[in-house]
Amino acid sequence: MGDTMKKNSFFPALMLVSMVVFLTACGAGGVHSRGHAPLSLGHGGNRHSVGNHETAELTGSSAVLDMSRPATLDDISGSLAEKRVIYAGETHDNYAHHLTQLELIKRIHQAHPDLAIGMEMFQRPFQQILDAFIEGSLDEREFLRKSEWFERWRYDYRLYRPILQYALTNRIPLVALNASAEIRKRVSAVGFDGLTAEERSQIPGDIDRSDTTYTERLRSVFSQHMGSGKRSFDHFLDVQLLWDETMAETAALYLKSNPGRKLVVLAGSGHLKYGAGIPQRVARRVAVESAIVLPATGLMIEPGIADYLLFPQMQALPKAGLIGVYMEEAENGVLVAGLSTNGAAAAAGVEGGDILIELNGQRVTAPSDIRLELLGRSPGERIQMKVIRKQLLWGEKTLDFAFDLGE
């Protein structure tokens, strides 16, 4: 697919700069960095500092970021490898962030092979599917199908594929951290208070609401979403706390059950910064030395946000081969609900309302079947498509198309 990393091209510019802190608070006067260097913010990386960004004892009148001492990811790997838990943040659709996570995992794994990877992207009911994949009893397609990747996470699988392939090759256990979509939807609709007893049994019993700074940060995020005025912030907050507490509980249980194993947690940066989402909730459950590593993209750089900020160079996914249709489920195939203007399928003569039943000779019953068949294919590759077209006067007929994938 072209997803493998190009050595010597991605990380020479991924450096680390130490930060010396002299002050009580940085406030809103944080610096937006435009460079290409990871940055140490002196978060502390221990169980006492996690989540305590409001009470840190800092002295002096200002914070100083020393840009004269660049370093590389290798320079912090030794320190990170000493921690029991490393939290590695991301923006979900940023390929460079995932390549950074992979490099981090590689370095920690080389120093400490007894490692596991906890992933926000997978939901707890599918843990056995992850186990089977790492054990080799499920191939990649069945793994994606049975974990319901395309229905439950939906981000381009190729963003995460290098990490999952490295885990498979090296038999590194994967831990499904997240709550199920079903219980999240229920909490979004009725909040914690509206759950039945059976539903309550599916969520952590201890939900901590004491971090008011985190609550206000979430309120700011909520207010920026379209339609927020029609929704309940309390329910939005409950969902965020459900995510954080579920992922923290799952990680803590794994750490307790595997005392000799280190854990790298991959999650959105919003769940990790300042230690306020997952890290402090893990620390509440189990005493572990930890460190937070975040990509600096879009973040306000200020004391306490993380132990290290990374500045990776931009990397784009290789272009995927596209058929150019909008898909919906149908009774006997996949409905072509719409077509991209100038897309490959439209140019070949496929029409809205067609029912796609085969792609490259493979039976199609759900949109995920199409995504799996297109996985790894590039623009310009030839494909065959079979559809059923219903006609008002002449009933339905089966049509075959062959065309090159678009971009």
Side-chain angles (χ1 to χ4, degrees):
M1 281 186 62
D3 283 350
T4 54
M5 182 170 303
K6 295 180 180 178
K7 295 181 180 178
N8 303 322
S9 65
F10 182 69
F11 279 92
L14 186 62
M15 301 183 297
L16 175 128
V17 180
S18 299
M19 182 171 190
V20 184
V21 179
F22 291 104
L23 122 142
T24 27
C26 183
V31 178
H32 282 295
S33 175
R34 300 179 182 272
H36 293 280
L39 166 74
S40 170
L41 287 175
H43 181 270
N46 58 64
R47 64 178 180 268
H48 302 295
S49 67
V50 171
N52 289 340
H53 53 280
E54 289 187 290
T55 59
E57 293 185 8
L58 307 175
T59 59
S61 59
S62 64
V64 177
L65 174 61
D66 187 349
M67 299 294 289
S68 67
R69 295 186 292 169
T72 68
L73 194 59
D74 287 331
D75 294 324
I76 64 170
S77 297
S79 175
L80 290 176
E82 295 175 358
K83 308 301 182 183
R84 181 82 192 280
V85 185
I86 300 92
Y87 299 100
E90 64 179 62
T91 298
H92 299 315
D93 61 356
N94 190 310
Y95 189 41
H97 292 184
H98 301 300
L99 295 179
T100 303
Q101 291 171 328
L102 175 60
E103 284 301 303
L104 191 62
I105 289 167
K106 285 181 177 179
R107 284 159 170 77
I108 296 169
H109 179 245
Q110 289 165 4
H112 192 92
D114 200 4
L115 179 69
I117 304 171
M119 300 186 70
E120 175 191 359
M121 306 81 214
F122 295 102
Q123 298 168 15
R124 293 203 293 191
F126 297 89
Q127 182 60 55
Q128 290 183 338
I129 305 303
L130 273 65
D131 294 341
F133 175 64
I134 293 300
E135 291 165 3
S137 57
L138 281 182
D139 64 19
E140 186 177 48
R141 285 196 174 200
E142 282 303 295
F143 164 64
L144 292 173
R145 193 187 307 277
K146 292 186 175 181
S147 68
E148 301 181 12
W149 174 277
F150 298 107
E151 295 82 9
R152 292 176 179 268
W153 189 244
R154 299 187 179 181
Y155 287 97
D156 193 332
Y157 170 67
R158 298 177 304 144
L159 292 162
Y160 297 88
R161 196 181 198 189
I163 294 172
L164 292 167
Q165 288 181 330
Y166 183 81
L168 175 63
T169 299
N170 293 278
R171 294 294 189 264
I172 300 175
L174 300 174
V175 184
L177 296 179
N178 218 334
S180 71
E182 290 79 5
I183 194 64
R184 295 205 311 258
K185 288 177 182 176
R186 279 290 293 159
V187 171
S188 179
V190 303
F192 289 135
D193 293 339
L195 297 178
T196 66
E198 191 279 329
E199 289 167 340
R200 283 180 176 275
S201 69
Q202 301 177 41
I203 69 174
D206 182 14
I207 306 291
D208 181 19
R209 298 176 178 273
S210 63
D211 191 339
T212 57
T213 301
Y214 186 44
T215 299
E216 290 309 307
R217 190 158 63 244
L218 290 174
R219 190 185 301 277
S220 176
V221 171
F222 176 78
S223 67
Q224 296 172 24
H225 282 73
M226 289 183 62
S228 60
K230 300 178 182 179
R231 300 162 55 206
S232 164
F233 171 72
D234 290 338
H235 290 179
F236 173 81
L237 177 61
D238 283 352
V239 170
Q240 301 304 310
L241 294 177
L242 172 67
W243 286 358
D244 290 333
E245 294 287 7
T246 300
M247 290 190 279
E249 180 183 71
T250 309
L253 289 172
Y254 187 86
L255 291 166
K256 291 177 181 179
S257 300
N258 299 272
R261 197 179 291 274
K262 294 183 184 292
L263 182 66
V264 174
V265 172
L266 307 184
S269 295
H271 293 289
L272 304 177
K273 59 185 182 181
Y274 304 105
I278 301 171
Q280 70 176 6
R281 298 170 200 278
V282 171
R284 199 177 75 239
R285 292 174 166 89
V286 57
V288 290
E289 296 288 321
S290 66
I292 300 172
V293 182
L294 301 181
T297 314
L299 295 180
M300 179 72 78
I301 300 174
E302 56 187 0
I305 195 170
D307 292 284
Y308 301 100
L309 290 181
L310 307 181
F311 292 74
Q313 291 180 332
M314 291 299 295
Q315 293 282 307
L317 275 171
K319 291 182 178 180
L322 303 176
I323 57 177
V325 303
Y326 299 99
M327 301 177 290
E328 292 182 4
E329 293 186 358
E331 185 175 350
N332 297 310
V334 174
L335 172 67
V336 178
L339 296 111
S340 299
T341 304
N342 300 322
V350 178
E351 297 179 359
D354 288 347
I355 304 296
L356 204 164
I357 58 173
E358 283 187 14
L359 192 64
N360 283 345
Q362 299 296 314
R363 184 81 173 96
V364 169
T365 60
S368 59
D369 294 331
I370 297 174
R371 294 187 175 98
L372 285 169
E373 186 58 35
L374 294 177
L375 182 62
R377 297 188 181 275
S378 302
E381 288 192 38
R382 195 77 170 171
I383 65 159
Q384 291 79 41
M385 177 186 292
K386 187 185 295 290
V387 307
I388 293 175
R389 180 171 299 169
K390 296 182 179 180
Q391 303 174 105
L392 184 60
L393 297 178
W394 309 107
E396 62 182 35
K397 63 178 179 179
T398 301
L399 300 173
D400 292 289
F401 298 93
F403 55 89
D404 296 338
L405 293 172
E407 295 183 2

